[in-house]
Amino acid sequence: MSVFSNDALIGEHILITGATGGIGYEAAKEAVRTGAHITITGRNEEKLEALKEECKRLNSEVEVLVGPADINMEDDRKQLVRNAKESIGPITGLVNSAGIGGGAPLEDLTEEQLRKPMELNYFSTVLLTQEVYKDMKQQRRGAIVNLSSLSGLRGTHSNIAYSSSKFAVIGFTQSLAIEAIEYNVRVNAICPGFVDTSMGRQAIANIGKREGRSYEKQRQLSEEALPSGRISTPEEVARSIVYLLTDACENIVGESLKISGGGVMR
């Protein structure tokens, strides 16, 4: 079910990273439902092509550009943005949903485990945004949504690497929001808790393993701990992303929207 009209993003061009993951995938579908042209990127071209076909079935009138890229690489970032603009036109919305999880207690944390989440979740997000933002600034219009996490708002056990990278995304979001709103560019973040994606399920499984519980038991306990009684769906997160891309939230600036099922209320 969508709460948006089918023209809420008509005429907009949204670049979505991490489009082969659960949240990015659903965000792409929700964006085309509301009339947006989209550029979708990730490293799995086969999955991107499948998503393109699905998006075209949802709305045959929009343009969908597949742009395989490793956004950790400068050349890939520049080529992605250049191709998107040449194929569809100016980018007016950016969804930074590419990311990875992973974690360990401090004494077991390797340098690689520490660097990988920071490089993709934070550095690549900032550097790709830099490529897109300069045109938004010149155009004096745009919206940017960064995927952070509840782990970007409070620390949890064995989660130093991931949590630190997501805290960094919040700092980036708030700092850029202050700069960008001068040019009518809105910047906000989404902070989901557990989401029913492969990444979310793996996170639950990791907690279960640490506590000596099966995935099924740990998921049951995780859901029972939430006031809503369940974890979020990727579709719910996608609808929140699209909301922040629309003009319905013109004065929402630098916010971190929690999607926690009531688990975090501060």
Side-chain angles (χ1 to χ4, degrees):
M1 175 182 177
S2 176
V3 298
F4 304 108
S5 67
N6 58 11
D7 62 355
L9 288 177
I10 199 162
E12 305 293 342
H13 175 196
I14 313 299
L15 171 59
I16 302 170
T17 73
T20 56
I23 292 173
Y25 197 95
E26 294 301 327
K29 290 162 59 179
E30 195 65 41
V32 299
R33 286 191 184 100
T34 56
H37 306 299
I38 61 172
T39 295
I40 49 177
T41 188
R43 287 184 284 189
N44 188 321
E45 187 169 1
E46 185 176 344
K47 286 186 178 180
L48 291 173
E49 290 291 349
L51 175 58
K52 177 180 179 177
E53 291 182 13
E54 194 165 348
C55 287
K56 294 296 285 186
R57 285 195 295 270
L58 290 169
N59 188 345
S60 61
E61 296 183 1
V62 301
E63 295 185 64
V64 179
L65 175 67
V66 168
D70 179 353
I71 62 169
N72 279 322
M73 307 300 294
E74 181 180 7
D75 288 347
D76 279 22
R77 292 192 299 267
K78 290 181 180 295
Q79 187 67 45
L80 171 67
V81 173
R82 183 163 53 248
N83 289 347
K85 292 191 295 184
E86 290 176 355
S87 298
I88 298 180
I91 298 168
T92 58
L94 172 63
V95 179
N96 285 308
S97 64
I100 55 173
L106 179 61
E107 61 269 26
D108 299 326
L109 193 62
T110 67
E111 183 172 344
E112 183 182 17
Q113 287 175 315
L114 185 60
R115 287 186 180 277
K116 284 182 71 174
M118 191 63 75
E119 286 172 357
L120 179 58
N121 298 353
Y122 175 66
F123 286 114
S124 294
T125 290
V126 174
L127 292 169
L128 178 63
T129 302
Q130 190 176 54
E131 285 295 316
V132 175
Y133 172 66
K134 55 190 176 186
D135 287 336
M136 289 183 173
K137 180 178 176 180
Q138 186 174 15
Q139 295 157 193
R140 301 188 70 87
R141 67 183 293 253
I144 298 168
V145 180
N146 297 320
L147 262 291
S148 184
S149 169
L150 293 185
S151 292
L153 302 174
R154 85 288 188 259
T156 53
H157 194 289
S158 302
N159 206 23
I160 289 170
Y162 179 73
S163 185
S164 297
S165 72
K166 292 301 187 179
F167 264 87
V169 170
I170 295 297
F172 168 58
T173 297
Q174 294 182 3
S175 296
L176 179 59
I178 294 169
E179 298 177 23
I181 197 59
E182 297 179 31
Y183 304 95
N184 196 37
V185 177
R186 290 179 294 102
V187 185
N188 291 286
I190 294 282
C191 298
F194 289 127
V195 183
D196 197 10
T197 62
S198 58
M199 185 172 165
R201 291 188 290 272
Q202 184 61 56
I204 293 172
N206 290 343
I207 296 171
K209 183 179 180 180
R210 189 180 73 235
E211 300 296 330
R213 303 186 187 109
S214 67
Y215 166 79
E216 291 75 17
K217 182 61 176 177
Q218 185 59 50
R219 175 155 178 167
Q220 177 189 346
L221 292 173
S222 296
E223 294 193 311
E224 287 176 349
L226 297 173
S228 68
R230 65 175 180 84
I231 65 175
S232 300
T233 68
E235 292 84 357
E236 289 169 326
V237 180
R239 289 193 290 270
S240 297
I241 291 169
V242 169
Y243 167 65
L244 289 174
L245 291 171
T246 70
D247 291 339
C249 55
E250 286 182 310
N251 207 33
I252 298 179
V253 176
E255 293 293 343
S256 301
L257 178 61
K258 297 186 292 293
I259 307 176
S260 70
V264 176
M265 295 190 184
R266 62 185 187 280

